Amino acid sequence: MINLLLFPVLIPFLFAAVLLLFPKKVKAQRIVTMIGLLFALASSFVLLYKVKVDGVQALTLGSWAPPFGITMVSDMLSALLVTSSLIIALFVVWYSFTSIGEEREKAFYYPAILFMLTGVNGAFTTGDIFNMFVFFEVLLMSSYVLIVLGGEKVQLKESIKYIIVNVVSSSLFVITVGYLYSVVGTLNMADISVKLAEVGPSGIVTVIAVLFLIVFGIKGGIFPLFFWLPGSYAAPPVPVLALFGALLTKVGVYAIMRTYTLFFTADIGYTHNLLMILSILTIVVGCIGALAYFDVKQIIIYNIVIAVGVILFGASVMNESGMMGSVFYLIHDILIKGALFLLIGIIIKITGTSDLRKMGGLMKRYPLLAWCYLIVAFGLAGIPPLSGFIGKLLIVQGGFEGELLWQSIFILASSLLVLLSAIRIFIYAFWGEEKGDHLISKKKYRHLLAPAITLAGITVLYGVGAEYLVPFMADATNVLLDPSIYVDAVFEGVK
Amino acid sequence: MEILMSILIGFLFMAAVYLILSRSLIRIIIGTGLLSHGTHLLLLTMGGLGGESAPVLADGITDYADPLPQALILTAIVISFGVTAFSLVLAYRTYKVVGTDNMDLMKGNEDND
């Protein structure tokens, strides 16, 4: 099973290609998509087990020895991320059956999701920096389709901006790869790591590091570069929003974590400090945004920005607790944002508006939804024993160990603001008098609630069962902190 | 030769930024096209220009061109063609639905402010 690590990339791709053949048969589309996702998820679990038992897996395509051929590498971090992205996709697709509408389903909605998964999983798995650009383009191209699908006025207006921002950032990505190539003369990430270690700290490498931060920062939504995110993410319907919010920004975050631990470890004083300052500012701006809006979508979207800041802060301190906290929080955030968006989607479907001031009193008729939302909101804010707690605790612990007292206290304080912003939704939407029409039938409500509750259950399990996940997280942390494990795995067959 | 290429690339980037900052949608898309052309030339220059022979292994050939940047540019060109085509179609649809191609008039949306 040497090709095992390609399965989560190739299975969605093959199923998407098959789905293109019969776009009008909605039932068949749904079934085939589900089968494909289940296959991919099963393969990713096998991969997870394999990586746990045998260590980092590397595959050189066409048996061209590294650094000449394209390498695919699956370490614990990427295996975990691939698994969680497939879980999210599974629930979003399940939720879409009742939510997205037949018109969109007939317009290649499911193939676009599967192609996007190909890009996301590919970007998580690739061991070649230019190949990462290609997979980024695959996921971006599918995200362009998803964001514009339906062709409403808002969608068209926002997707134009989304596309232009991403085209410019993709150009910058190629430019940066070009600079990197002129310095080290290779594209293989393991080889770059070795060569850059030989070059040592130098000005040009720092410039490349900052350029990479800008490129991935635009995708991930860090402080000065997140400006496109609130507008563009609010435009598409909720299942697409859930997919984007849970996955797309995390690809940028993963790329920053990967490049900043594997390549740019020579000048930590400058690059990682910059990353830390930006992540703190990201949290500040995210908190302001999350409290400023009365629109449920916008509140949760700004919570994505906060989470990106928290994860990158943990990564920037570069010690064991901080990094482990980052990995914990990264997976937590993928799951919890997915669950939150699905629940928010039900609220919007029931009330027909996303404005908090126009809703109220849902508690009486929809108690299950209310309690489920409350649990997820507590998980988001990090109330023990739910899933946000462990990650944030480790990140703050890492901050204290790295003697970043104020910054760590800041992270703790931001939890309170996150809780406040999430509870505001609860108070406005579920308490008070009943307002507005209830536009949804009982049957449809149950169909929408099932995937959301299951996903919320998974986030709870992730928090409560954290003890069983620690060995996995420790493996991921070890690879991040000690690049030689990664490098040795890639060059294993050569030496 | 590298200096000349750098100036050309800089000029392309300048024109691209000028066009991207303008208000008309179609100018912005032309701007992104120029940006990707500049990027591809930069990639070529970064790999080092020159090299007398084709990059084929044979006896006595030492001064050969670097094949890798050309492969990268081929990939990047195909991608940028695809994205440009998509954004042109999207710009047309947006013009039809929104009724303008002026980016100033596409700010905000009715629900939020």
Side-chain angles (χ1 to χ4, degrees):
Chain A
M1 289 295 264
I2 193 169
N3 291 329
L4 180 65
L5 68 167
L6 284 181
F7 281 8
V9 184
L10 288 183
I11 291 174
F13 182 76
L14 287 175
F15 275 83
V18 170
L19 284 175
L20 290 177
L21 299 176
F22 44 90
K24 302 291 175 204
K25 291 180 180 139
V26 175
K27 275 246 166 63
Q29 290 261 317
R30 290 174 180 177
I31 294 166
V32 174
T33 312
M34 267 311 203
I35 293 172
L37 283 172
L38 286 172
F39 268 127
L41 193 60
S43 73
S44 80
F45 276 120
V46 178
L47 174 65
L48 205 58
Y49 176 74
K50 177 96 175 156
V51 173
K52 180 71 196 124
V53 175
D54 293 349
V56 182
Q57 300 289 307
L59 170 70
T60 46
L61 297 181
S63 295
W64 284 77
F68 301 111
I70 290 173
T71 319
M72 303 293 273
V73 187
S74 189
D75 64 339
M76 191 41 97
L77 177 65
S78 76
L80 282 169
L81 285 168
V82 162
T83 311
S84 30
S85 76
L86 285 167
I87 291 175
I88 285 295
L90 191 72
F91 284 102
V92 167
V93 166
W94 182 8
Y95 186 88
S96 303
F97 292 166
T98 29
S99 166
I100 197 83
E102 280 212 2
E103 199 184 319
R104 283 195 172 91
E105 285 180 300
K106 282 178 185 166
F108 302 104
Y109 172 72
Y110 296 118
I113 286 186
L114 289 179
F115 278 130
M116 199 179 98
L117 275 177
T118 309
V120 170
N121 288 345
F124 287 147
T125 316
T126 181
D128 181 291
I129 194 72
F130 192 81
N131 217 21
M132 187 185 259
F133 161 74
V134 176
F135 277 119
F136 263 74
E137 285 304 316
V138 171
L139 79 91
L140 284 174
M141 202 66 181
S142 333
S143 76
Y144 300 156
V145 174
L146 283 174
I147 199 171
V148 84
L149 201 65
E152 289 160 27
K153 208 169 165 184
V154 185
Q155 282 184 304
L156 287 167
K157 268 168 33 175
E158 294 300 336
S159 53
I160 280 280
K161 293 167 207 166
Y162 178 75
I163 289 173
I164 290 164
V165 167
N166 277 309
V167 168
V168 172
S169 92
S170 296
S171 290
L172 205 56
F173 196 172
V174 181
I175 292 168
T176 317
V177 170
Y179 284 153
L180 193 60
Y181 183 71
S182 77
V183 174
V184 294
T186 176
L187 294 165
N188 188 299
M189 280 157 72
D191 200 30
I192 291 172
S193 174
V194 175
K195 295 261 168 67
L196 278 182
E198 283 166 11
V199 172
S202 78
I204 183 80
V205 177
T206 309
V207 169
I208 293 169
V210 175
L211 275 171
F212 266 125
L213 186 60
I214 293 172
V215 171
F216 298 136
I218 292 177
K219 316 273 202 244
I222 63 171
F223 158 60
L225 308 166
F226 74 99
F227 54 88
W228 56 272
L229 196 143
S232 304
Y233 276 18
V238 168
V240 178
L241 171 60
L243 210 55
F244 281 20
L247 292 183
L248 287 195
T249 50
K250 304 305 176 296
V251 182
V253 173
Y254 163 80
I256 292 178
M257 280 171 78
R258 181 60 84 206
T259 50
Y260 269 59
T261 53
L262 197 57
F263 302 170
F264 307 115
T265 47
D267 193 8
I268 286 182
Y270 185 85
T271 51
H272 286 61
N273 251 337
L274 181 70
L275 183 61
M276 189 193 68
I277 294 166
L278 287 180
S279 61
I280 294 285
L281 288 171
T282 309
I283 297 170
V284 174
V285 176
C287 285
I288 294 172
L291 293 175
Y293 281 91
F294 274 100
D295 186 297
V296 265
K297 278 187 187 174
Q298 293 291 345
I299 293 172
I300 308 296
I301 287 170
Y302 274 100
N303 269 306
I304 301 174
V305 178
I306 300 173
V308 167
V310 174
I311 297 164
L312 287 180
F313 176 78
S316 73
V317 292
M318 284 292 267
N319 59 23
E320 203 181 331
S321 323
M323 198 59 84
M324 194 156 161
S326 272
V327 178
F328 245 112
Y329 205 81
L330 186 57
I331 312 284
H332 148 78
D333 199 61
I334 291 179
L335 297 173
I336 206 124
K337 285 287 142 56
L340 258 183
F341 277 120
L342 297 189
L343 290 168
I344 293 297
I346 301 175
I347 298 178
I348 293 174
K349 274 269 186 255
I350 291 173
T351 56
T353 172
S354 62
D355 191 338
L356 276 180
R357 284 166 294 196
K358 289 181 194 153
M359 49 175 88
L362 296 178
M363 181 67 124
K364 208 173 267 172
R365 280 203 225 176
Y366 306 97
L368 199 53
L369 176 66
W371 293 117
C372 192
Y373 175 81
L374 196 67
I375 290 170
V376 175
F378 282 165
L380 177 75
I383 287 177
L386 297 167
S387 56
F389 173 70
I390 304 121
K392 216 170 250 177
L393 183 75
L394 283 167
I395 288 174
V396 170
Q397 194 189 336
F400 283 140
E401 279 168 16
E403 291 175 352
L404 301 161
L405 189 63
W406 284 109
Q407 291 88 331
S408 310
I409 290 175
F410 205 88
I411 302 274
L412 287 175
S414 78
S415 297
L416 288 178
L417 294 178
V418 169
L419 184 63
L420 179 61
S421 74
I423 289 301
R424 258 178 79 224
I425 297 180
F426 187 74
I427 291 173
Y428 273 94
F430 293 104
W431 284 359
E433 295 167 30
E434 289 200 30
K435 267 189 226 169
D437 311 320
H438 295 257
L439 302 165
I440 192 172
S441 69
K442 271 274 176 232
K443 191 180 162 209
K444 207 173 168 195
Y445 167 69
R446 278 202 301 274
H447 280 248
L448 286 175
L449 200 60
I453 282 195
T454 322
L455 192 53
I458 289 178
T459 69
V460 173
L461 283 182
Y462 180 74
V464 177
E467 203 185 325
Y468 301 101
L469 293 166
V470 166
F472 292 88
M473 302 295 167
D475 275 13
T477 315
N478 288 340
V479 177
L480 284 174
L481 288 176
D482 185 6
S484 64
I485 301 174
Y486 188 96
V487 173
D488 289 347
V490 173
F491 285 107
E492 204 174 40
V494 184
K495 281 168 188 166
Chain B
M1 191 61 185
E2 271 87 354
I3 299 289
L4 194 67
M5 283 291 272
S6 305
I7 293 170
L8 176 66
I9 294 161
F11 186 79
L12 277 172
F13 281 168
M14 181 192 73
V17 170
Y18 175 76
L19 284 169
I20 289 175
L21 291 179
S22 63
R23 257 171 297 186
S24 159
L25 207 49
I26 203 75
R27 276 165 163 260
I28 294 174
I29 292 171
I30 293 171
T32 58
L34 284 183
L35 187 68
S36 51
H37 286 326
T39 310
H40 302 147
L41 287 180
L42 187 108
L43 204 54
L44 192 67
T45 319
M46 282 295 136
L49 297 170
E52 299 274 296
S53 328
V56 178
L57 273 185
D59 288 335
I61 291 179
T62 48
D63 186 24
Y64 53 86
D66 187 353
L68 200 55
Q70 299 171 18
L72 302 188
I73 290 164
L74 185 61
T75 316
I77 282 178
V78 172
I79 291 171
S80 82
F81 273 172
V83 175
T84 309
F86 187 87
S87 44
L88 278 171
V89 175
L90 186 67
Y92 176 70
R93 276 284 289 171
T94 311
Y95 175 70
K96 283 273 222 183
V97 173
V98 182
T100 177
D101 72 335
N102 187 340
M103 287 304 277
D104 270 358
L105 301 176
M106 288 194 210
K107 277 184 198 159
N109 59 58
E110 292 81 15
D111 306 332
N112 285 335
D113 46 14

